[in-house]
Amino acid sequence: FGEKGCHTTSVRLVYDTDQKSGDRHFRGVAFVDLSDEASFNKGLKLHNTPFLGKGKKVNVRPTRTKTELSQIVKRTEEKV
């Protein structure tokens, strides 16, 4: 993101822990916080672009608030 002109304030990587060995394995998911709207708009241009040449692509979207997430869960439960 930084190479594309985005001002990043933090990056959080998501890991799974093996229950038997305790080893941590990167899940291929990261949350990147950008400092301003201009950086976010530049980040959106990276959506669906290849990442690290491993057949993975970048998925860029805004973070949902807890209220938004609970509304999504409620709508999903109503459909099921």
Side-chain angles (χ1 to χ4, degrees):
F1 282 82
E3 291 176 357
K4 300 296 183 182
C6 299
H7 299 283
T8 304
T9 56
S10 69
V11 177
R12 295 173 311 285
L13 305 176
V14 180
Y15 290 88
D16 279 333
T17 302
D18 184 285
Q19 295 298 316
K20 292 183 181 180
S21 68
D23 292 341
R24 291 177 46 175
H25 304 281
F26 179 57
R27 290 184 53 193
V29 176
F31 295 92
V32 179
D33 293 322
L34 303 170
S35 64
D36 53 45
E37 187 174 349
S39 293
F40 175 70
N41 289 327
K42 289 176 185 176
L44 284 177
K45 293 177 183 175
L46 298 172
H47 184 67
N48 278 331
T49 59
F51 181 69
L52 297 178
K54 297 181 179 180
K56 304 219 183 245
K57 292 189 176 185
V58 175
N59 180 0
V60 180
R61 63 178 180 215
T63 303
R64 306 280 185 187
T65 65
K66 288 183 180 183
T67 302
E68 290 171 324
L69 289 173
S70 66
Q71 290 171 349
I72 291 169
V73 168
K74 184 177 180 180
R75 286 194 308 265
T76 303
E77 288 173 347
E78 291 171 355
K79 292 180 181 180
V80 176

